Amino acid sequence: MNHSRLEAIGSYLPTTVMGTGELLERLEKAPTFDFVKITGMTERRVADDTAEVPENSLTMAVSAARDSLDRSAYAPQELDVVISCSISRMSDGRRLQFEPSFAHRVAEEIGARDAARFDVSNACAGMMTGVYLLDRMIRGGAVRNGLVVSGEHITPIAFTAAREMDDSRDPQFASLSVGDSAVAVVMDRATDDRDMIHEVELMTCSQYSHLCLGMPSDDTGDIAMYTDNKEMHARERLSLWPSFHSDRLAERGSRFADEGYDFIIHHQVGSRFVDLMNTIGERSFETPMPQSLTVVDKLANTASTSHYLVLHQALAEGRIPTGSKVLMVPAASGVVTGFLSATVSSLEV
Amino acid sequence: MATVITSAALSPADVSGSSIGQAAAAGLVCLGRAGIDAADVDVLINVGVYRDLNIVEPSIAALISKRIGINLDYLHWPDQRAGFSFDLMNGACGMLNAVQAADALLSTGSARRVMVVSADTHPSMDRSRAGTDEFPYASTGAALLLEHTDDDRGFGRVHHRSLPGRHGVNGYLPLREAGPTGRNTIVIDRDDDVLDRMLDLAVDAVLATLAAQNSGTDDTGPVALDRTLLITSQPSPGFAAELAKRLGLAPGFAAQLAKRLGLPADGAVTVDGVHGDPHTSALVHGYKQAQETDQLTGHDRVLFVAVGAGLTSAAAFYRLADDGTRR
């Protein structure tokens, strides 16, 4: 057997809760609108990077890494590699950091002194890309284990949007949908089929790489994100996933219905998006979709951590029975799609 | 089976100050040299750090892939072969981390060809602001095409080391201070003693890599440095020469050795003709320069060594073809 597995998972959520009403009160120019109806998001967590013990992408990533290691069989110094996947590399008082790598800083903080370390950046598919790479590194024998971590202090884009957007059709509209969090997973080689990543396959369709851009604002400053929602979420874009997924399954003579997925986790863009993805999946694969897990309501879209935060919360709530097969479907700017399927039994929160 | 460089290229000198444009231009030259199409690239990894307008999303790799024409749209792609792209960032060490990642993708059959591209630029894309005291990095790009082959060539294991404490180099955008100029602002803080610390770490990295090879923990067998060409990151113009000196590959030593062996005297490649530190592109710059100046001839191997912010280092041997010719 040559597979990797999710060996442990940990998270960090800021304690500050911001209701959607409170966020919309920050709109400076745009008339208010029913954001809850459009997205299903009633609240999100917001990191406080001005607190005495600041919450930012780095400190949250370190907390999530420690949380995962508390449940892991591995001590920090036994880790072979640390991969950090944040989009929002915010640290040290709203600095957007480019080097050293966040992975280096996390590794130093947690005491993973011998681990190789590097950052992966792939928009909201970042953690999925980190898991994909670590899966291949474990299967290829380059490493025995590793940590994939992402801390997202991403809500500054929501506040930039609130300052700058003109109305609900503004390119910054989607920026209102984000929440802060951090998640970390420890991975190693699978020892049986009770805990195993069966496959993780990813694809970038670069024709659409310009449809969602995150960068500093040249209007009121800080960081911002500009999304062409109409093009990004056009049916043809969304059907990239079932097309790619069914082709990969067909290569080994399988179909979606044959795979026995128990749960499906989509990117947490909003409740309508998750429903739409499930509808498109059902039509394309011609089979009912597995039970859909989300955290959209209370935690919103936490960017690169979203699928793993959903998994973490579902485990915490006891919603995933031992031996469940979980399917994750990324949807990220790039545009990136694909799928990860894993059986989880020993993973506890 | 080892990961082999099947094509290498630098961005043409006349490309704009866009890191996306430079990486894409290098990638296209690299493809042309290899005689393959964009559709033949399965995975594109971008290791550039400093980018146009400080864009953080999507991956710069996706924007570069679009310029090169890699997997534009799977639904309208003739052979339904999917391409994947992502950024891997670890300063000057990123290129060797990407080699390690590529090796995992190639060895598991996840990819047949991996292209690694790099480019750094001042976020304003104004070339006159690159290679200055404020922003010491050169505005340049590079590309490597990596594949697995059955011959004796290829990369050995990539060895990493890190030092605790001060990071030596901090590159960041101070969002509050920058205000609405964040797309054109970048701060690079370098400790005064960073070059000395980098040299110390580089020496340690080389000795550890050599020890791992000689103790048989690496699968490419024992190796001595006397037939090894050193290609390093270039945090200062004299870095490679100074490292060679500390490793006993100094001009005096190398000249004596070379005289005995009938080899050229220079044991380390100092990248010429680039305005500033070529940073994430330094190793490919060094490799291409060594190819073009025939500096590889007479060497059995290249030792790639990168040191960067953290401080961190990465080092790997690369076994050359027996006849001294390389692509």
Side-chain angles (χ1 to χ4, degrees):
Chain A
M1 188 185 309
N2 189 11
H3 285 273
S4 72
R5 66 175 176 179
L6 299 172
E7 195 261 343
I9 186 167
S11 77
Y12 179 84
L13 287 169
T15 51
T16 304
V17 176
M18 179 175 281
T20 294
E22 197 182 341
L23 174 63
L24 295 180
E25 281 171 17
R26 293 189 176 217
L27 289 171
E28 291 186 9
K29 292 190 281 180
T32 197
F33 38 78
D34 194 343
F35 194 71
V36 177
K37 187 177 172 191
I38 299 166
T39 63
M41 294 165 178
T42 61
E43 58 189 48
R44 74 278 297 129
R45 301 297 177 95
V46 177
D48 182 358
D49 64 356
T50 62
E52 194 170 329
V53 181
E55 290 174 318
N56 56 44
S57 306
L58 181 67
T59 61
M60 294 195 295
V62 169
S63 297
R66 287 190 176 126
D67 189 42
S68 68
L69 285 164
D70 284 347
R71 299 191 193 95
S72 171
Y74 298 103
Q77 62 271 22
E78 293 174 313
L79 292 174
D80 284 344
V81 63
V82 172
I83 303 172
S84 173
C85 313
S86 309
I87 301 167
S88 56
R89 290 181 300 273
M90 302 277 198
S91 65
D92 311 316
R94 201 62 66 83
R95 285 182 178 178
L96 180 63
Q97 186 166 318
F98 289 97
E99 55 178 342
S101 72
F102 249 47
H104 172 74
R105 296 188 67 177
V106 172
E108 290 302 309
E109 287 284 336
I110 64 174
R113 59 172 186 256
D114 295 327
R117 65 254 344 228
F118 57 83
D119 289 355
V120 158
S121 182
N122 207 10
C124 289
M127 255 193 105
M128 205 67 77
T129 304
V131 167
Y132 163 88
L133 271 185
L134 183 50
D135 172 75
R136 297 320 197 257
M137 290 170 82
I138 290 170
R139 285 169 47 198
V143 299
R144 294 161 300 175
N145 60 41
L147 178 84
V148 178
V149 61
S150 184
E152 293 288 18
H153 181 200
I154 191 89
T155 49
I157 69 171
F159 303 135
T160 303
R163 288 193 305 275
E164 297 181 0
M165 58 189 284
D166 291 321
D167 55 42
S168 62
R169 292 182 302 280
D170 192 281
Q172 292 198 59
F173 177 81
S175 309
L176 296 172
S177 68
V178 296
D180 295 331
S181 78
V183 182
V185 292
V186 179
M187 291 168 58
D188 66 356
R189 186 174 289 272
T191 55
D192 57 46
D193 57 8
R194 296 176 70 251
D195 288 281
M196 171 188 288
I197 293 178
H198 301 281
E199 52 192 340
V200 48
E201 299 293 338
L202 298 170
M203 168 174 80
T204 308
C205 290
S206 62
Q207 181 73 47
Y208 310 104
S209 52
H210 62 288
L211 294 181
C212 179
L213 294 170
M215 64 174 85
S217 162
D218 62 355
D219 180 0
T220 64
D222 214 315
I223 199 87
M225 184 179 77
Y226 310 88
T227 311
D228 182 341
N229 268 324
K230 193 171 168 220
E231 278 299 311
M232 191 84 180
H233 296 153
R235 284 284 172 131
E236 201 176 62
R237 294 306 91 69
L238 302 184
S239 64
L240 284 165
W241 155 54
S243 177
F244 176 65
H245 194 166
S246 57
D247 285 351
R248 287 294 163 276
L249 294 179
E251 281 175 9
R252 53 180 176 80
S254 183
R255 295 171 307 159
F256 192 96
D258 301 333
E259 291 294 303
Y261 301 126
D262 297 300
F263 296 98
I264 188 165
I265 303 174
H266 289 288
H267 186 37
Q268 302 293 289
V269 174
S271 52
R272 280 187 188 175
F273 176 85
V274 171
D275 292 345
L276 181 58
M277 289 300 278
N278 282 325
T279 302
I280 287 172
E282 198 157 314
R283 283 188 195 149
S284 303
F285 296 115
E286 298 177 331
T287 188
M289 286 296 98
Q291 185 179 338
S292 183
L293 300 170
T294 85
V295 296
V296 161
D297 176 21
K298 299 291 186 194
L299 299 174
N301 176 356
T302 57
S304 67
T305 70
S306 72
H307 297 81
Y308 298 90
L309 186 61
V310 173
L311 177 65
H312 180 277
Q313 298 306 94
L315 287 165
E317 292 163 10
R319 295 175 64 192
I320 302 188
T322 293
S324 295
K325 192 172 184 183
V326 179
L327 172 66
M328 297 184 184
V329 180
S333 48
V335 296
V336 184
T337 185
F339 58 100
L340 174 146
S341 72
T343 297
V344 294
S345 298
S346 310
L347 209 55
E348 291 179 352
V349 172
Chain B
M1 297 280 274
T3 297
V4 168
I5 301 168
T6 50
S7 179
L10 304 175
S11 57
D14 58 352
V15 179
S16 76
S18 159
S19 62
I20 297 162
Q22 285 166 344
L28 285 165
V29 174
C30 189
L31 283 182
R33 292 220 172 103
I36 61 170
D37 296 329
D40 297 315
V41 176
D42 298 311
V43 177
L44 181 130
I45 307 174
N46 167 51
V47 299
V49 170
Y50 299 102
R51 69 279 301 279
D52 308 7
L53 308 173
N54 286 320
I55 290 172
V56 293
E57 179 176 357
S59 69
I60 302 302
L63 296 162
I64 295 165
S65 288
K66 182 177 179 178
R67 294 274 187 101
I68 297 178
I70 297 169
N71 198 49
L72 294 171
D73 185 342
Y74 183 73
L75 296 178
H76 302 287
W77 208 237
D79 62 358
Q80 297 274 293
R81 271 179 57 197
F84 181 46
S85 56
F86 61 91
D87 291 348
L88 187 160
M89 295 165 62
N90 190 18
C93 302
M95 182 61 77
L96 288 175
N97 291 121
V99 165
Q100 190 177 27
D103 187 60
L105 297 173
L106 295 166
S107 65
T108 54
S110 308
R112 288 170 293 181
R113 294 185 188 87
V114 177
M115 178 175 278
V116 184
V117 294
S118 57
D120 293 285
T121 192
H122 189 278
S124 66
M125 298 183 277
D126 176 354
R127 295 188 82 132
S128 72
R129 298 179 73 174
T132 62
D133 287 344
E134 284 192 346
F135 185 78
Y137 303 112
S139 182
T140 185
L144 281 184
L145 188 67
L146 301 173
E147 297 176 62
H148 262 198
T149 63
D150 285 329
D151 58 34
D152 290 337
R153 295 180 299 150
F155 280 97
R157 184 175 286 269
V158 179
H159 297 268
H160 305 272
R161 288 176 89 78
S162 295
L163 292 180
R166 289 176 293 122
H167 301 139
V169 179
N170 279 296
Y172 59 91
L173 163 61
L175 279 161
R176 288 201 177 95
E177 293 83 344
T181 68
R183 292 181 190 172
N184 306 316
T185 304
I186 193 80
V187 175
I188 312 292
D189 289 336
R190 301 220 305 190
D191 292 348
D192 290 340
D193 63 347
V194 69
L195 289 173
D196 275 342
R197 293 178 68 220
M198 282 181 168
L199 268 171
D200 290 344
L201 180 60
V203 171
D204 282 353
V206 170
L207 296 179
T209 304
L210 199 55
Q213 294 261 336
N214 290 335
S215 69
T217 56
D218 202 314
D219 54 9
T220 48
V223 61
L225 278 183
D226 58 354
R227 290 180 62 80
T228 301
L229 181 66
L230 202 57
I231 296 182
T232 73
S233 54
Q234 310 273 324
S236 73
F239 189 82
E242 183 61 29
L243 181 58
K245 185 174 160 190
R246 293 208 191 175
L247 290 167
L249 293 172
F253 174 88
Q256 286 177 14
L257 193 65
K259 196 173 171 186
R260 265 179 32 208
L261 298 172
L263 300 178
D266 37 359
V269 177
T270 294
V271 173
D272 297 323
V274 180
H275 182 63
D277 171 3
H279 204 38
T280 61
S281 304
L283 299 183
V284 183
H285 263 280
Y287 182 76
K288 283 299 297 175
Q289 184 174 307
Q291 265 188 334
E292 286 163 11
T293 59
D294 210 24
Q295 206 175 349
L296 294 172
T297 303
H299 294 98
D300 295 336
R301 304 181 190 229
V302 170
L303 177 53
F304 288 106
V305 184
V307 287
L311 298 176
T312 59
S313 71
F317 281 102
Y318 183 79
R319 189 199 295 262
L320 297 164
D322 293 337
D323 63 0
T325 59
R326 356 271 128 210
R327 274 180 274 178

